[in-house]
Amino acid sequence: MSAVNDTKFKSKVFLLTGIPGQEDVQNLWISLPLCLMYVISILGNSVILFVIKTDLSLHEPMYMFLSMLGVTDLGLSIATIPTILGIYLFNSREISLDACFTQLFFIQSLHCTESSVLLLMAFDRFIAIRDPLRYTSILTLPRIAKMGLVCVLRGVAVMLPHPLLLKRFRYCRVNVLSHSYCMHQEVMKMACSDIRVNNIYGLIITVLTVGLDSLFIFLSYVMILKTVLSIASHKEFLRALNTCVSHFCAVLLFYTPEFSLTLIHRFGKGSSPLFQIVLGYINLLVPPLINPIVYCVKSKHLRSRIIRVF
C-alpha cells in the first residue's frame, strides 16, 4: 500500500520503514547481524533463566532480580525484532493499527518494567553492601516476588492509556512510519485529532517512571559510595564496588539511549533521521544482547553454574 496524503481517507495500516538510503544492501548486511543479535539475546537470557531456576544455590536475591531483568529483556526482543526482521528479510512493511498499538504498548510497558527492575537491583546492591548480615532476611523470596509483581502492574497500568487513547483517533495523514517498529511519539503524530492529552500524559509518565527511577538509582549509588568509602580494608572496598559493576553497566545501557531518544523526539527537530533510527535500535536491541554477557562475565558464581550445566 502506498503512502496516503488524502486527509479524507482513514488509514487502515501503517507502513514500517528500514534504514533510509540503504535499501540495496540492507537485506543482506543488516538482516544477518540482526538475526545474530536476536538469537544471542534469546539464548543468552533463556540460559540464565534456566540455570537460575534449576540451581538452588542461585535462589538468592541478586539472581532473582537478574531473572526479572532477563524476562523483561526477552519480552522486548520478542516484541520488536520479528517486525524488524520482517522488513529486512521479507520486505513485509504493513502493520495493522491494532497490531501497531499492541506492539507499542508492550514495548512501553516492558521498558517501564525494566526501569523498575533496575531500581530494585540498585536497592538490592545497597542492602547487600550496607547491611550484609540482614541481607537475606530483608530480601526474602516472597517479598521479592511481590516487588516483581508491583513492577509488572506498574508498567501495565501507566502505559495502558496510551494505546486506548490512540485507538480513538482517526489516522488520515501520511501513513509511513520512519522506524521498523511502532513508537508512541511517532504514531500519535499521524493522527488528525488533537494530541495534546497524549503529549501531556506521555511527558508526565516519563518523568514519574523513568525519571524518578533514574533519580532513585543515582541516590542509591551515592549511598553505596558513601558506605564503601567508610570501609577500612582496601581489598573489601574493591570487592564491594565490584559487585555493582554489572548493574552499573545495565543502567548505562538502558538509560543513556532512553534519555537521548526522549530529548531528540521532544527537542531535536533537526536531528538526523538515520541517527534517530540507529539510536532506537540501540535502545531496544543492545540491552537484551549485552546484559546476559556482562552478568556472565562479572559473576563467577553464575558463570561456573552455566559451565557445569552445559
Side-chain angles (χ1 to χ4, degrees):
M1 181 177 178
S2 60
V4 178
N5 284 307
D6 184 5
T7 57
K8 296 181 180 179
F9 182 82
K10 185 176 181 180
S11 299
K12 300 296 183 183
V13 297
F14 289 126
L15 297 181
L16 302 172
T17 306
I19 297 179
Q22 303 295 320
E23 289 80 4
D24 295 335
V25 297
Q26 66 186 14
N27 288 341
L28 177 63
W29 298 110
I30 299 179
S31 60
L32 287 179
L34 286 175
C35 285
L36 185 61
M37 291 174 67
Y38 187 39
V39 171
I40 294 175
S41 298
I42 298 296
L43 285 179
N45 288 289
S46 298
V47 166
I48 287 180
L49 289 173
F50 173 76
V51 172
I52 292 175
K53 183 180 185 301
T54 56
D55 195 323
L56 294 179
S57 67
L58 296 177
H59 289 187
E60 299 176 1
M62 181 179 74
Y63 298 108
M64 292 296 101
F65 289 124
L66 177 58
S67 65
M68 294 181 193
L69 185 66
V71 170
T72 56
D73 282 341
L74 273 176
L76 277 172
S77 297
I78 294 171
T80 54
I81 293 189
T83 57
I84 296 173
L85 289 178
I87 295 173
Y88 295 120
L89 291 177
F90 310 109
N91 197 30
S92 176
R93 298 178 58 200
E94 288 190 0
I95 183 170
S96 67
L97 268 64
D98 289 337
C100 186
F101 299 154
T102 302
Q103 184 185 48
L104 67 85
F105 164 71
F106 276 106
I107 290 174
Q108 287 190 305
S109 60
L110 286 168
H111 254 271
C112 181
T113 302
E114 182 155 349
S115 178
S116 303
V117 171
L118 289 173
L119 174 59
L120 292 182
M121 295 175 81
F123 177 70
D124 165 75
R125 291 298 84 207
F126 170 69
I127 297 297
I129 293 173
R130 181 69 177 267
D131 201 353
L133 297 179
R134 298 177 57 213
Y135 175 57
T136 54
S137 63
I138 294 175
L139 294 175
T140 60
L141 294 184
R143 191 168 292 169
I144 292 172
K146 292 176 182 177
M147 291 178 177
L149 180 60
V150 169
C151 290
V152 174
L153 292 177
R154 178 202 191 201
V156 172
V158 301
M159 296 305 174
L160 186 58
H162 277 152
L164 296 179
L165 288 171
L166 291 173
K167 197 173 178 63
R168 296 169 59 245
F169 296 154
R170 288 185 72 251
Y171 296 90
C172 51
R173 302 184 192 278
V174 175
N175 64 337
V176 180
L177 302 176
S178 61
H179 291 75
S180 307
Y181 53 89
C182 292
M183 294 182 63
H184 174 260
Q185 297 93 328
E186 187 176 18
V187 171
M188 68 178 180
K189 293 177 182 177
M190 300 289 174
C192 303
S193 311
D194 187 355
I195 60 172
R196 282 180 296 180
V197 173
N198 286 58
N199 264 322
I200 295 171
Y201 181 77
L203 180 60
I204 292 173
I205 289 303
T206 300
V207 172
L208 293 181
T209 54
V210 177
L212 275 182
D213 291 347
S214 58
L215 175 61
F216 287 136
I217 289 173
F218 172 75
L219 293 177
S220 297
Y221 270 97
V222 170
M223 298 171 72
I224 287 172
L225 189 59
K226 182 180 178 180
T227 302
V228 297
L229 287 175
S230 64
I231 299 175
S233 170
H234 181 69
K235 184 178 180 180
E236 293 296 324
F237 171 83
L238 293 177
R239 182 182 299 175
L241 283 182
N242 191 51
T243 63
C244 300
V245 171
S246 301
H247 176 256
F248 187 71
C249 291
V251 168
L252 288 180
L253 285 171
F254 180 83
Y255 285 107
T256 302
E258 178 75 13
F259 282 132
S260 300
L261 271 177
T262 301
L263 292 174
I264 286 174
H265 282 294
R266 293 197 176 273
F267 307 110
K269 303 298 183 183
S271 61
S272 167
L274 179 60
F275 177 72
Q276 292 186 31
I277 292 171
V278 172
L279 194 59
Y281 284 157
I282 292 173
N283 185 41
L284 290 179
L285 307 183
V286 171
L289 173 70
I290 301 298
N291 283 338
I293 297 174
V294 170
Y295 274 93
C296 286
V297 170
K298 293 302 298 179
S299 176
K300 184 179 179 180
H301 189 51
L302 177 62
R303 186 171 65 251
S304 65
R305 292 299 185 273
I306 293 175
I307 293 172
R308 179 180 299 178
V309 169
F310 293 97

